[in-house]
Amino acid sequence: MKKGYFGIHGGQFIPETLMNTIIELEHAYNHYKKDKDFCSELEYLLNHYANRPSLLYLAKKMSKNLGGAKIYLKREDLNHTGSHKINNVLGQTLLAKKMGKTRVIAETGAGQHGVATATAAALMNMKCEIFMGEEDIKRQALNVYRMKLLGAKVNCVKSGTATLKDAVSATLREWSARMNDTHYVLGSVMGPHPFPSIVRDFQAVISKEIKHQMLSLESKLPDMVIACVGGGSNAIGAFYHFLEDKQVELVGCEAAGKGIEYNNTAATITTGKLGIFHGMKSYFCQDEFGQIAPVHCISAGLDYPGIGPEHANLYDIKRAKYVAINDEEAIEAFEYLSRTEGIIPAIESAHALAYAIKVAPKMKDKIIVVNLSGRGDKDCAAIARYKGEEIYE
């Protein structure tokens, strides 16, 4: 593999002003990922602060109700801060501290990455600023308050569609203006090299644990692993240690919004084309002129017009498949798991659950693992409004 590339995807398409900082980050990461003290400190934080290993939960009622596969849920929603985001954030913030940085910045969509970054910054006594689209601030008011409570400054991004892609752009601009004391804690497996590899490595703890837990519980590997995909961090985390196990089917679930027949969708693999954006070459939702197209879905965390380069390559080589799940299917899955297992999933995770609900009845005597990437407290008010229910605030 060419350095920084996954097949034809990846690279470093960044302004010259950022290049020295990116090189510094790559050298620091390559050093510290082999450093015993760094690895021990990170492992301690994951186990004693973030609540790892996360539970692999057999959803008995769901499995029985669907009448096919045995379904396990990888409970990343039980992590401290409520999602998988803490895995990567603890790693990157610790790395930034080792590099002598005193300030971290981050983009956020659903707010979970912002909350995790604010949490780690508070823990490690670092300054923190979060960039969040105006539309997402409205959708995720609870997480905005959580970030502020943790000591972070939340910057409202009003440009463009005022969603995740614009938050990423704003964070990159801020980083370009203040690199000496600041690290950009990028939240997904996207952006210029080495970010896709760094985030992947920190999130790979998910599949490492699933593999160990499955062999312990079932003495075999799962037949299918399913995860939702926006930029793709929870999915690559759930897939990574199964990439060489060809018998394990890997499925990423994209957000189709109202449906792929409409232009306003976030299903990148299904509808996108090859392009360059946010420092990387990958697949992106584009208009007829090759410009990044506006995207929409009910999930702020999946509302991104591209996909990480490693996912793009996994699609190209047919190692993973990517399916589109629309808003209605995700909401039905959100309600289904809540009422069947007493677990309220993040609306992002509900996209993966929706696909499991579709395929499980046809997979008799098979095992499915769904990566439950986050909890759904943050989504309850927005979904109630979507359904026209009265909300008392």
Short mmCIF file of all heavy atoms in Angstrom, two decimals, residues 61-67 71 329-343 345 353 357:
data_model
loop_
_atom_site.label_atom_id
_atom_site.label_comp_id
_atom_site.label_asym_id
_atom_site.label_seq_id
_atom_site.Cartn_x
_atom_site.Cartn_y
_atom_site.Cartn_z
N LYS A 61 -34.61 -11.47 23.39
CA LYS A 61 -35.97 -11.20 22.93
C LYS A 61 -35.99 -10.80 21.45
O LYS A 61 -36.86 -11.23 20.71
CB LYS A 61 -36.59 -10.09 23.79
CG LYS A 61 -36.96 -10.53 25.20
CD LYS A 61 -37.59 -9.39 25.98
CE LYS A 61 -38.95 -9.00 25.39
NZ LYS A 61 -39.52 -7.82 26.11
N MET A 62 -35.04 -9.99 21.06
CA MET A 62 -34.95 -9.58 19.66
C MET A 62 -34.68 -10.79 18.77
O MET A 62 -35.32 -10.96 17.72
CB MET A 62 -33.83 -8.54 19.50
CG MET A 62 -33.67 -7.99 18.10
SD MET A 62 -32.35 -6.73 18.05
CE MET A 62 -32.38 -6.30 16.31
N SER A 63 -33.75 -11.65 19.20
CA SER A 63 -33.42 -12.85 18.42
C SER A 63 -34.64 -13.76 18.27
O SER A 63 -34.96 -14.25 17.18
CB SER A 63 -32.28 -13.62 19.10
OG SER A 63 -31.13 -12.82 19.20
N LYS A 64 -35.35 -13.97 19.37
CA LYS A 64 -36.54 -14.84 19.35
C LYS A 64 -37.65 -14.23 18.51
O LYS A 64 -38.31 -14.91 17.71
CB LYS A 64 -37.03 -15.09 20.77
CG LYS A 64 -38.22 -16.04 20.86
CD LYS A 64 -38.62 -16.28 22.31
CE LYS A 64 -39.82 -17.24 22.37
NZ LYS A 64 -40.24 -17.47 23.79
N ASN A 65 -37.86 -12.93 18.66
CA ASN A 65 -38.92 -12.23 17.95
C ASN A 65 -38.72 -12.27 16.44
O ASN A 65 -39.69 -12.43 15.68
CB ASN A 65 -39.01 -10.79 18.44
CG ASN A 65 -40.08 -9.99 17.74
OD1 ASN A 65 -39.80 -9.26 16.80
ND2 ASN A 65 -41.32 -10.12 18.20
N LEU A 66 -37.46 -12.13 16.01
CA LEU A 66 -37.18 -12.13 14.57
C LEU A 66 -37.10 -13.53 13.99
O LEU A 66 -37.18 -13.71 12.78
CB LEU A 66 -35.89 -11.35 14.30
CG LEU A 66 -35.95 -9.85 14.63
CD1 LEU A 66 -34.59 -9.21 14.50
CD2 LEU A 66 -36.97 -9.14 13.73
N GLY A 67 -36.88 -14.52 14.87
CA GLY A 67 -36.99 -15.91 14.45
C GLY A 67 -35.93 -16.42 13.51
O GLY A 67 -36.18 -17.32 12.71
N ILE A 71 -28.65 -12.72 17.80
CA ILE A 71 -28.16 -11.35 17.65
C ILE A 71 -27.48 -10.89 18.93
O ILE A 71 -28.07 -10.93 20.01
CB ILE A 71 -29.32 -10.39 17.30
CG1 ILE A 71 -29.99 -10.82 15.99
CG2 ILE A 71 -28.81 -8.94 17.19
CD1 ILE A 71 -31.28 -10.09 15.70
N GLU A 329 -36.99 3.72 8.37
CA GLU A 329 -36.47 2.42 8.82
C GLU A 329 -35.66 2.58 10.11
O GLU A 329 -35.76 1.75 11.02
CB GLU A 329 -35.61 1.80 7.72
CG GLU A 329 -36.39 1.35 6.50
CD GLU A 329 -35.49 0.94 5.35
OE1 GLU A 329 -34.44 1.60 5.15
OE2 GLU A 329 -35.83 -0.02 4.64
N ALA A 330 -34.87 3.65 10.18
CA ALA A 330 -34.06 3.89 11.37
C ALA A 330 -34.93 4.19 12.58
O ALA A 330 -34.67 3.68 13.69
CB ALA A 330 -33.08 5.03 11.11
N ILE A 331 -35.97 4.99 12.39
CA ILE A 331 -36.88 5.32 13.50
C ILE A 331 -37.61 4.07 13.99
O ILE A 331 -37.77 3.85 15.20
CB ILE A 331 -37.87 6.42 13.09
CG1 ILE A 331 -37.13 7.75 12.92
CG2 ILE A 331 -38.98 6.58 14.14
CD1 ILE A 331 -37.96 8.84 12.28
N GLU A 332 -38.04 3.23 13.07
CA GLU A 332 -38.71 1.98 13.46
C GLU A 332 -37.78 1.10 14.28
O GLU A 332 -38.19 0.50 15.29
CB GLU A 332 -39.18 1.22 12.21
CG GLU A 332 -40.38 1.85 11.53
CD GLU A 332 -40.74 1.16 10.23
OE1 GLU A 332 -40.19 0.05 9.97
OE2 GLU A 332 -41.56 1.70 9.47
N ALA A 333 -36.50 1.04 13.89
CA ALA A 333 -35.52 0.23 14.64
C ALA A 333 -35.23 0.86 16.00
O ALA A 333 -35.05 0.14 17.00
CB ALA A 333 -34.22 0.10 13.82
N PHE A 334 -35.18 2.18 16.05
CA PHE A 334 -34.99 2.93 17.30
C PHE A 334 -36.08 2.55 18.31
O PHE A 334 -35.81 2.24 19.47
CB PHE A 334 -35.03 4.43 16.97
CG PHE A 334 -34.93 5.36 18.15
CD1 PHE A 334 -33.70 5.78 18.63
CD2 PHE A 334 -36.08 5.86 18.75
CE1 PHE A 334 -33.61 6.67 19.69
CE2 PHE A 334 -35.99 6.75 19.81
CZ PHE A 334 -34.76 7.15 20.29
N GLU A 335 -37.31 2.55 17.84
CA GLU A 335 -38.44 2.21 18.71
C GLU A 335 -38.49 0.71 19.02
O GLU A 335 -38.81 0.31 20.15
CB GLU A 335 -39.74 2.66 18.05
CG GLU A 335 -39.85 4.19 17.92
CD GLU A 335 -41.10 4.63 17.18
OE1 GLU A 335 -41.63 3.83 16.37
OE2 GLU A 335 -41.54 5.78 17.40
N TYR A 336 -38.14 -0.10 18.04
CA TYR A 336 -38.19 -1.55 18.21
C TYR A 336 -37.24 -2.01 19.32
O TYR A 336 -37.64 -2.77 20.21
CB TYR A 336 -37.82 -2.24 16.89
CG TYR A 336 -37.75 -3.75 16.99
CD1 TYR A 336 -38.89 -4.53 16.83
CD2 TYR A 336 -36.55 -4.40 17.25
CE1 TYR A 336 -38.84 -5.92 16.93
CE2 TYR A 336 -36.48 -5.78 17.35
CZ TYR A 336 -37.63 -6.54 17.19
OH TYR A 336 -37.56 -7.90 17.30
N LEU A 337 -35.99 -1.58 19.30
CA LEU A 337 -35.04 -2.02 20.32
C LEU A 337 -35.44 -1.48 21.69
O LEU A 337 -35.32 -2.20 22.69
CB LEU A 337 -33.62 -1.57 19.97
CG LEU A 337 -32.55 -2.21 20.87
CD1 LEU A 337 -32.41 -3.69 20.58
CD2 LEU A 337 -31.20 -1.51 20.73
N SER A 338 -35.93 -0.25 21.72
CA SER A 338 -36.35 0.34 23.00
C SER A 338 -37.44 -0.51 23.64
O SER A 338 -37.40 -0.78 24.86
CB SER A 338 -36.86 1.77 22.76
OG SER A 338 -35.85 2.59 22.21
N ARG A 339 -38.40 -0.96 22.85
CA ARG A 339 -39.56 -1.68 23.39
C ARG A 339 -39.31 -3.18 23.54
O ARG A 339 -39.97 -3.84 24.34
CB ARG A 339 -40.77 -1.44 22.49
CG ARG A 339 -41.24 0.01 22.53
CD ARG A 339 -42.20 0.36 21.44
NE ARG A 339 -42.58 1.78 21.51
CZ ARG A 339 -43.26 2.41 20.57
NH1 ARG A 339 -43.65 1.76 19.48
NH2 ARG A 339 -43.56 3.69 20.71
N THR A 340 -38.34 -3.69 22.78
CA THR A 340 -38.09 -5.14 22.82
C THR A 340 -37.04 -5.50 23.87
O THR A 340 -37.21 -6.48 24.61
CB THR A 340 -37.61 -5.64 21.44
OG1 THR A 340 -38.59 -5.28 20.46
CG2 THR A 340 -37.43 -7.15 21.44
N GLU A 341 -35.96 -4.72 23.95
CA GLU A 341 -34.86 -5.04 24.86
C GLU A 341 -34.69 -4.01 25.99
O GLU A 341 -33.83 -4.19 26.85
CB GLU A 341 -33.55 -5.15 24.08
CG GLU A 341 -33.48 -6.34 23.12
CD GLU A 341 -33.30 -7.67 23.85
OE1 GLU A 341 -32.98 -7.68 25.04
OE2 GLU A 341 -33.47 -8.72 23.19
N GLY A 342 -35.48 -2.94 25.95
CA GLY A 342 -35.30 -1.90 26.97
C GLY A 342 -34.00 -1.14 26.82
O GLY A 342 -33.43 -0.65 27.79
N ILE A 343 -33.52 -1.03 25.58
CA ILE A 343 -32.27 -0.31 25.28
C ILE A 343 -32.60 0.76 24.24
O ILE A 343 -33.08 0.44 23.15
CB ILE A 343 -31.20 -1.26 24.73
CG1 ILE A 343 -30.85 -2.34 25.75
CG2 ILE A 343 -29.94 -0.48 24.32
CD1 ILE A 343 -29.99 -3.47 25.19
N PRO A 345 -31.28 3.07 21.59
CA PRO A 345 -30.04 3.25 20.83
C PRO A 345 -29.95 4.66 20.24
O PRO A 345 -30.96 5.34 20.04
CB PRO A 345 -30.21 2.24 19.69
CG PRO A 345 -31.69 2.27 19.42
CD PRO A 345 -32.36 2.48 20.77
N LEU A 353 -29.16 -1.41 13.27
CA LEU A 353 -30.21 -2.29 13.80
C LEU A 353 -31.28 -2.56 12.74
O LEU A 353 -31.79 -3.68 12.64
CB LEU A 353 -30.86 -1.65 15.03
CG LEU A 353 -30.02 -1.63 16.30
CD1 LEU A 353 -30.56 -0.60 17.28
CD2 LEU A 353 -29.98 -3.02 16.94
N ILE A 357 -32.60 -6.20 11.52
CA ILE A 357 -34.02 -6.60 11.55
C ILE A 357 -34.45 -7.17 10.20
O ILE A 357 -35.23 -8.12 10.13
CB ILE A 357 -34.90 -5.39 11.96
CG1 ILE A 357 -34.65 -5.04 13.43
CG2 ILE A 357 -36.37 -5.66 11.71
CD1 ILE A 357 -35.21 -3.71 13.86
#
